[in-house]
Amino acid sequence: MAVVKMLALTLAGPKEETEVVARQMVLRGGFQPIPLDLLVSDRKMRARVGTPTDNPYDTLLTKVASVWHAAGETLPEPSPILSDRSFTLEKARCMVEAAVRKLDLWERRKRELVESVEELEAAKVLLDTLHAVSHSLEDLTTMRHMAVFFGRISEENGKRLLETSEDVPFLPIPLRVQGGDMWVLCFAIPGYRDGAVKLLESVNFKVFSLAQMIERLRSAEGNRVDRLIANRRRAAGGLEKAARNFLFDHRQELVALFNQIYTMQRVYDLCKGRGEIGDMYLLSGWIPEDIREEALSVIAAEAPKTAVFVEETAHSLASGFRVPTLLRNLPFVRSFQEIVAIYSLPSYGEMDPSFLVALSFCAMFGFMFGDVGHGLLLALGGHFLMKRRAVTKAIGAVIKTAGASSVLFGFLYGSVFGMEGILPPLWFSPMEHMDRLLKLSLGAGVGFVTLGMLLNMVARYREGDFGRLLFDGQGLAGLVFYWSAALMAFSAFSGIPLPFPKWVGGTLLLILLLVIFLRDVLARTLLKRRSTEVEESPVVHVFEVLHGLLSFLSNTASFVRLAAFALNHVGLSLAVFMLADMVHNVPGGPILKVLLLFLGNLLIVGLEGLIVFIQTLRLEYYEFFSKFYRGGGSPFRPVGWTGRDLSRSKTR
Amino acid sequence: MTGFLSLGERTAVGAKAHVFFGRLLTDESYWRLLHCDTIQDIVEYLKSLPGFAPYLLSVSPEIHRAELEDILEMLPLRETLIFFGYLTGEQRVYVRCWIDLYEADLLKRTMRSLFSRKQDREQLRQRFALIPKPSFSSEALLSSGSYEEFLEALSGSGYYRVLREPLTKLAGEGGSLFSAETAVDLHVLSALFRAAGKVDPRNGAGILSLVGTMVDLLNVSWLHRSARFFDMHFEEMLNRLLPVRHRLGLPFLRKLSRAESPEAFWDLLRRSCYGGALGESLPKEDFELETRMKQHLWRQAKQLFRRSGIGFHSLVAYLFLRRYEIQDLKTIIEDVRYDFDRRGALLFMVRPIVPGGERAWRW
């Protein structure tokens, strides 16, 4: 239950083993490649490492995809397949050739037919127009004082052509608008031929050659254009049908082949950062320590000539590239990782507060929203939202756990849907023991602030920053100061005398304050070491200390909200009951009463539940995390199969 | 009820846009970045800023300039997606069209990679995954080995019709991607303008004016560039303009296309509705007019943002400002990488910061 230890894995071996290694590392998951230029700091060395960018599977994938193109179908959704060592590039090439040889030919023929249909359709449009004005195609081609262009253009571009050609010796005549395309016949004076060509190019005008059109119609030997179009369409349709039948008969094998080729193409793409020196390859990446054995045994079996270097690193590589963070916790705690991640993911080597957050979140939420009925509704609501995917699985689980905690505190308070008296309180009733509630919440505040400071001291110890551990306002000096002040305040309010005179306490506080102010000086003189952090200027430090002292008071007082919201819950419930009682005697009163009770309880669960949720988060983030937690970790992102996977945090 | 929900939607996106606006770079940040000595310094500084930190957390300080620029370019898209989920109706359509600007950019990148036979497919794949519900299969597009296959992968989408002729021609006769890329740009920019026209003014007055100004200035910019750098006949210039217009109609654009000298062009422009906004003097350098146009749009976006109340217009203005901020950042990165004179960079930047970083603007 913590931040998982990561290892930097570097694999080096003969080039022929690249594919096997890359496939195993990528497909088994849990591998985040590191670009080699980050690992190799020596520029000369880096210059010798080449990073190949070609992918031998590109062509193969295009060929396999042509089956679907030929059949007029969209490509299947690719999914990764873990193929074994026997699936080599050569084998893949043979399989693809065998599968698509026939299809390739059909596809080419179909394309020719489609092109010819397009030309015939163009001829038909033009012939129909010319026929209406008693002219022939030959009349157009024999014009000596005019350059003629005929073709197709998108409707929008057609409008622009008409608009912009007003002032030039160019006359576009729209013939027909069909399916968003405009067929246009254009005339230009011979001197403007080049200008007309440029003009038409600028609007992406597809020109059909009149001479070719005449030739094609002549070769049709008297057949009508309509019939020719129909025949060619039929032939193209026949080829498509044959391709479709082929795909239908071999779909399973073809999909498997497509997926295998796609998988290998992705493996190559994903490991593009791999380097090559001569006949050797290099591949580096992060793996969690717990899959080390499995990864090593797989590599030993699949790529025996590959050497493996495993390195344990501190927080970052020499290049500054930080070690990614992977969290692994108990199932109950896992959902609370999201709560921590919303604030910030722990950096590698930092303490993971998820477990503490899980416990404290439940305790604080239940304390403020303790009610058997409302807790049950909240848990059901969380379950419903999770099922409807309105919230993430983790947030859904957090809501459910918060609901369960409310139920538990409901029994402790003896509260069901705001009614006290139905169940006997196992602990105490908030309304009847307000002073106790207040003391408990202040006690929780002191406890939390203390815990935060202790955790900060542990973190400082792990960093080796003993100066801040001992003399900082959030370190030992701060802790003693806080407890001394708390004890003196307790004594003043409760009237219980302290075991020592007041002036001793006051002097102690002053000495501690001085220690905190002189933190860096004391660390340098007494411990002979500097802080791992950049030292602030004295002015900033003074303000920081004053802020720290004030935050002792404000952070502790902030926990009074625990009591306030627990009372608020009872108060809101009472208000709902009072309203419901008020409408009881009006006409239709019983129905209105039930309606009010229903809506009122829904409001309490929805609105108050949300507010308490936010208040709990506030106490965690501001009062607790600010004492010890820094975050700023970058998530571990093992290679995945969709772009989203690659860019999303994969904390577990 | 619908009105209430719409108000809620406007308020939510407007408030969020204001939060995001607060994270935009300040003048001081611009100067700090300009004073960086290396790309590493820039990365480190950007990591400390709330508007950039979440996107650069896992970025290595050793990152290559081009990679950093790539990440920054996609940043406004990532932010747009945060808002997209909240929106309904014509506002959603507008933001979708805004996202399509990025989709079109990816499409052009994919075309270029197909053209140059050099592609980082995995990077493109990750970027395509950001686009919500694309109208084509990005996998089919990325797997295409020829322009025919590329076109086939687009069938059924709005891009098919606009790319059909340029790509067929390219496949048959070769040439550059110019026509294809222009066709994609015209398609998405026209759609954005039309979508802006449909946004109910109650939800965002001033949006059409901002997008319309952009359309007009893009048309002017195209005429300026084609007259200066390309050997084009004026009808050809006019045909490559956006098919939509706001305040500058075809007669004026026709006159501009026929301007015989830069002075005549400038004179005409000065007398147009945008004359005063583009400065007093004739731009001396080639890039200057375009920078002035962007600066005018930047100011207009800022005015739109400052308009009283929060609403959908806040988001539209923010997205413009963020886009220009990233453009400026790229200028700074280039300057730092090649160690150009930092003050010279100011001439290329959209945000008009004055030497010294004072709060006063240049205009």
Side-chain angles (χ1 to χ4, degrees):
Chain A
M1 89 182 173
V3 177
V4 176
K5 194 171 179 183
M6 303 301 286
L7 301 172
L9 189 76
T10 302
L11 303 148
K15 236 182 198 173
E16 65 267 19
E17 285 188 349
T18 317
E19 197 178 313
V20 183
V21 170
R23 183 166 50 200
Q24 292 301 332
M25 295 317 295
V26 170
L27 290 177
R28 284 178 186 273
F31 179 72
Q32 179 182 332
I34 309 172
L36 269 179
D37 51 350
L38 292 180
L39 278 180
V40 186
S41 50
D42 180 18
R43 278 176 190 276
K44 279 184 189 167
M45 180 67 182
R46 216 157 47 189
R48 291 177 61 192
V49 180
T51 47
T53 50
D54 56 321
N55 190 326
Y57 289 94
D58 281 1
T59 331
L60 295 185
L61 193 74
T62 310
K63 280 193 174 176
V64 183
S66 72
V67 179
W68 277 268
H69 293 320
E73 282 191 26
T74 49
L75 285 172
E77 194 61 41
S79 56
I81 290 183
L82 183 60
S83 42
D84 60 18
R85 201 179 152 76
S86 66
F87 188 81
T88 59
L89 179 62
E90 213 37 58
K91 189 177 172 186
R93 198 169 281 146
C94 292
M95 286 167 79
V96 172
E97 286 301 330
V100 304
R101 200 176 297 133
K102 239 187 314 182
L103 265 295
D104 218 19
L105 200 70
W106 293 350
E107 174 63 8
R108 248 179 291 148
R109 178 75 191 123
K110 188 183 125 190
R111 208 168 278 170
E112 282 168 16
L113 284 167
V114 169
E115 272 171 26
S116 111
V117 166
E118 203 179 38
E119 276 182 21
L120 286 168
E121 276 178 339
K124 188 174 177 317
V125 171
L126 189 57
L127 283 175
D128 287 351
T129 312
L130 292 172
H131 184 70
V133 290
S134 310
H135 278 289
S136 68
L137 261 178
E138 284 76 9
D139 293 344
L140 286 180
T141 50
T142 51
M143 287 178 90
R144 271 187 291 165
H145 302 294
M146 281 288 176
V148 185
F149 304 90
F150 169 68
R152 190 186 61 201
I153 188 171
S154 72
E155 205 179 337
E156 195 172 73
N157 282 351
K159 283 180 193 157
R160 293 164 75 188
L161 182 68
L162 298 178
E163 216 176 46
T164 53
S165 56
E166 277 172 12
D167 296 350
V168 283
F170 182 81
L171 177 67
I173 305 170
L175 302 183
R176 192 182 289 178
V177 177
Q178 203 173 7
D181 287 330
M182 188 187 271
W183 293 93
V184 191
L185 182 63
C186 311
F187 296 95
I189 59 165
Y192 190 66
R193 173 182 279 277
D194 291 345
V197 170
K198 280 188 176 174
L199 184 64
L200 293 174
E201 264 178 14
S202 67
V203 280
N204 298 317
F205 187 87
K206 159 109 179 170
V207 180
F208 288 89
S209 155
L210 295 177
Q212 247 179 37
M213 221 176 257
I214 292 172
E215 192 57 37
R216 201 175 276 280
L217 291 173
R218 249 186 225 138
S219 65
E221 294 169 352
N223 273 330
R224 283 178 59 87
V225 178
D226 286 345
R227 196 177 301 157
L228 277 174
I229 293 174
N231 284 346
R232 282 174 198 186
R233 276 212 177 119
R234 218 174 6 251
L239 284 172
E240 193 171 306
K241 196 178 169 196
R244 254 200 315 270
N245 288 342
F246 179 80
L247 182 60
F248 184 78
D249 293 341
H250 303 89
R251 189 177 290 273
Q252 227 172 350
E253 306 100 87
L254 285 166
V255 169
L257 184 62
F258 177 76
N259 282 336
Q260 270 179 318
I261 306 277
Y262 174 80
T263 304
M264 290 316 299
Q265 188 209 34
R266 289 293 310 273
V267 166
Y268 260 82
D269 280 352
L270 291 167
C271 294
K272 239 183 69 176
R274 74 186 193 281
E276 286 180 1
I277 310 173
D279 288 333
M280 302 283 286
Y281 80 90
L282 274 172
L283 179 66
S284 272
W286 299 112
I287 59 162
E289 194 194 28
D290 47 11
I291 68 160
R292 172 193 188 145
E293 289 310 316
E294 187 199 347
L296 293 185
S297 61
V298 166
I299 290 163
E302 297 281 332
K305 292 178 197 161
T306 291
V308 184
F309 305 95
V310 183
E311 194 189 345
E312 287 178 26
T313 54
H315 301 282
S316 57
L317 297 175
S319 58
F321 193 82
R322 276 187 290 174
V323 182
T325 307
L326 171 67
L327 302 179
R328 197 159 283 161
N329 281 303
L330 297 167
F332 161 69
V333 181
R334 214 169 287 161
S335 16
F336 288 89
Q337 285 177 191
E338 289 265 323
I339 299 286
V340 175
I342 291 173
Y343 184 87
S344 183
L345 203 64
S347 56
Y348 186 73
E350 194 180 6
M351 198 183 305
D352 172 18
S354 304
F355 180 72
L356 290 169
V357 167
L359 290 182
S360 56
F361 190 96
C362 291
M364 288 194 282
F365 190 92
F367 195 92
M368 287 191 269
F369 198 70
D371 191 298
V372 178
H374 293 149
L376 267 176
L377 279 182
L378 191 68
L380 286 173
H383 185 73
F384 174 74
L385 289 174
M386 203 167 79
K387 285 279 169 209
R388 293 287 305 267
R389 300 193 175 183
V391 293
T392 61
K393 215 173 156 185
I395 295 294
V398 168
I399 297 174
K400 281 203 284 186
T401 319
S405 169
S406 291
V407 173
L408 178 71
F409 273 85
F411 280 115
L412 295 176
Y413 293 159
S415 172
V416 186
F417 288 115
M419 289 178 281
E420 296 187 349
I422 296 178
L423 290 174
L426 298 177
W427 192 14
F428 67 90
S429 163
M431 274 310 241
E432 287 166 20
H433 299 92
M434 283 190 208
D435 55 334
R436 194 170 171 189
L437 200 67
L438 211 61
K439 281 177 194 163
L440 270 170
S441 42
L442 277 174
V446 174
F448 255 83
V449 172
T450 307
L451 181 63
M453 288 164 82
L454 285 172
L455 290 174
N456 180 52
M457 285 159 70
V458 173
R460 295 296 180 188
Y461 175 77
R462 283 162 75 167
E463 283 170 19
D465 192 347
F466 294 102
R468 291 193 182 218
L469 190 159
L470 295 173
F471 311 126
D472 192 55
Q474 308 290 340
L476 186 63
L479 186 65
V480 178
F481 181 93
Y482 177 63
W483 267 92
S484 311
L487 277 175
M488 286 169 77
F490 176 74
S491 159
F493 283 109
S494 63
I496 301 170
L498 289 167
F500 47 81
K502 277 183 187 169
W503 67 267
V504 175
T507 314
L508 179 69
L509 287 183
L510 273 176
I511 293 170
L512 285 167
L513 198 60
L514 202 64
V515 168
I516 294 169
F517 271 120
L518 298 174
R519 177 194 66 193
D520 294 333
V521 180
L522 290 173
R524 276 199 302 270
T525 49
L526 297 179
L527 303 175
K528 308 282 181 213
R529 59 167 77 193
R530 282 178 176 273
S531 169
T532 48
E533 285 182 24
V534 181
E535 286 178 11
E536 305 105 353
S537 72
V539 179
V540 175
H541 181 59
V542 168
F543 278 101
E544 193 197 61
V545 172
L546 290 176
H547 173 260
L549 294 179
L550 281 175
S551 74
F552 283 149
L553 185 66
S554 64
N555 289 163
T556 312
S558 193
F559 278 83
V560 173
R561 74 189 67 225
L562 288 178
F565 279 94
L567 291 173
N568 178 50
H569 181 74
V570 183
L572 255 179
S573 303
L574 273 176
V576 170
F577 284 121
M578 279 166 71
L579 274 174
D581 285 340
M582 280 162 73
V583 297
H584 186 69
N585 294 327
V586 301
I591 298 169
L592 268 177
K593 183 178 178 180
V594 172
L595 198 69
L596 260 174
L597 282 173
F598 177 72
L599 289 176
N601 277 292
L602 267 188
L603 188 79
I604 290 173
V605 174
L607 196 64
E608 204 205 330
L610 180 70
I611 294 170
V612 168
F613 193 90
I614 293 168
Q615 295 301 331
T616 314
L617 280 185
R618 190 221 131 93
L619 289 173
E620 295 283 357
Y621 290 162
Y622 191 71
E623 264 67 46
F624 187 44
F625 279 17
S626 61
K627 293 276 172 288
F628 70 99
Y629 188 63
R630 290 184 197 173
S634 54
F636 176 58
R637 288 173 177 154
V639 284
W641 289 97
T642 63
R644 207 162 281 116
D645 283 343
L646 291 169
S647 58
R648 193 177 52 191
S649 158
K650 276 222 158 185
T651 49
R652 272 179 238 162
Chain B
M1 188 64 182
T2 317
F4 178 72
L5 287 176
S6 172
L7 176 69
E9 181 183 307
R10 289 198 312 259
T11 314
V13 293
K16 210 168 178 67
H18 273 261
V19 172
F20 277 54
F21 179 82
R23 297 177 188 167
L24 286 175
L25 293 173
T26 59
D27 283 10
E28 290 71 25
S29 308
Y30 266 68
W31 281 107
R32 184 90 190 261
L33 285 162
L34 276 167
H35 282 112
C36 286
D37 289 323
T38 60
I39 299 292
Q40 237 169 326
D41 294 346
I42 292 181
V43 174
E44 285 307 320
Y45 181 59
L46 289 179
K47 275 184 180 180
S48 70
L49 301 174
F52 293 89
Y55 310 99
L56 298 175
L57 265 182
S58 54
V59 164
S60 152
E62 291 264 312
I63 192 169
H64 189 272
R65 177 184 68 90
E67 284 175 64
L68 178 63
E69 286 181 0
D70 271 354
I71 293 171
L72 293 175
E73 263 174 31
M74 296 313 279
L75 208 140
L77 171 63
R78 288 177 190 276
E79 287 181 347
T80 311
L81 294 174
I82 296 172
F83 292 94
F84 189 55
Y86 294 102
L87 297 164
T88 55
E90 62 267 24
Q91 287 104 297
R92 190 177 170 87
V93 174
Y94 175 85
V95 174
R96 174 72 233 192
C97 288
W98 184 264
I99 291 171
D100 285 347
L101 297 182
Y102 293 89
E103 186 183 70
D105 187 51
L106 281 176
L107 207 65
K108 287 193 287 179
R109 275 169 187 250
T110 315
M111 270 197 292
R112 268 175 240 150
S113 66
L114 196 65
F115 186 74
S116 62
R117 305 275 161 204
K118 277 183 193 170
Q119 63 170 332
D120 187 345
R121 189 167 28 218
E122 204 48 47
Q123 199 184 40
L124 287 170
R125 190 175 267 127
Q126 284 181 45
R127 288 175 171 207
F128 269 120
L130 288 176
I131 307 288
K133 292 185 185 162
S135 52
F136 50 82
S137 156
S138 56
E139 280 300 337
L141 204 70
L142 290 170
S143 296
S144 51
S146 65
Y147 291 118
E148 287 96 339
E149 284 168 13
F150 188 89
L151 195 59
E152 210 162 303
L154 290 173
S155 61
S157 77
Y159 297 105
Y160 180 80
R161 188 173 292 282
V162 296
L163 280 174
R164 186 179 55 187
E165 295 314 331
L167 286 186
T168 311
K169 197 167 176 205
L170 203 59
E173 301 167 23
S176 76
L177 284 170
F178 181 72
S179 289
E181 291 196 10
T182 315
V184 172
D185 285 339
L186 296 187
H187 175 65
V188 289
L189 285 164
S190 311
L192 183 74
F193 178 71
R194 288 183 191 118
K198 285 179 187 158
V199 174
D200 187 343
R202 280 176 303 171
N203 290 344
I207 294 173
L208 181 64
S209 169
L210 178 65
V211 181
T213 305
M214 180 179 76
V215 162
D216 281 345
L217 294 182
L218 279 173
N219 279 336
V220 172
S221 161
W222 168 250
L223 290 176
H224 176 249
R225 272 195 292 163
S226 47
R228 296 284 299 251
F229 309 120
F230 307 122
D231 177 27
M232 268 189 198
H233 215 264
F234 56 85
E235 296 84 27
E236 207 185 334
M237 291 184 203
L238 290 175
N239 273 336
R240 292 197 193 269
L241 292 177
L242 285 161
V244 287
R245 273 139 219 157
H246 182 51
R247 291 172 72 191
L248 298 183
L250 188 66
F252 178 78
L253 294 170
R254 187 174 276 142
K255 273 189 212 166
L256 267 187
S257 72
R258 293 181 182 205
E260 283 171 0
S261 63
E263 287 77 15
F265 188 94
W266 177 246
D267 199 42
L268 273 171
L269 197 56
R270 272 198 62 199
R271 280 186 275 131
S272 76
C273 53
Y274 296 112
L278 299 175
E280 293 301 316
S281 57
L282 172 75
K284 287 177 196 129
E285 304 286 342
D286 289 336
F287 61 84
E288 214 175 322
L289 181 63
E290 286 190 35
T291 309
R292 287 186 192 181
M293 287 175 180
K294 284 179 187 167
Q295 285 174 345
H296 175 63
L297 279 168
W298 183 89
R299 283 193 300 275
Q300 200 174 333
K302 197 134 187 178
Q303 275 165 12
L304 180 63
F305 191 87
R306 283 177 177 160
R307 195 168 271 197
S308 64
I310 55 170
F312 184 62
H313 67 275
S314 318
L315 170 62
V316 173
Y318 169 75
L319 293 178
F320 263 82
L321 294 170
R322 184 63 152 168
R323 202 172 157 93
Y324 286 132
E325 182 178 278
I326 299 297
Q327 277 186 25
D328 280 348
L329 258 178
K330 284 171 69 182
T331 307
I332 294 173
I333 289 169
E334 202 179 320
D335 256 54
V336 170
R337 170 67 184 84
Y338 298 107
D339 204 18
F340 294 139
D341 174 18
R342 304 294 198 270
R343 282 177 184 265
L346 298 179
L347 298 173
F348 294 88
M349 288 202 312
V350 182
R351 183 172 173 144
I353 56 170
V354 292
E358 287 93 333
R359 284 250 165 235
W361 301 121
R362 188 189 290 173
W363 299 91

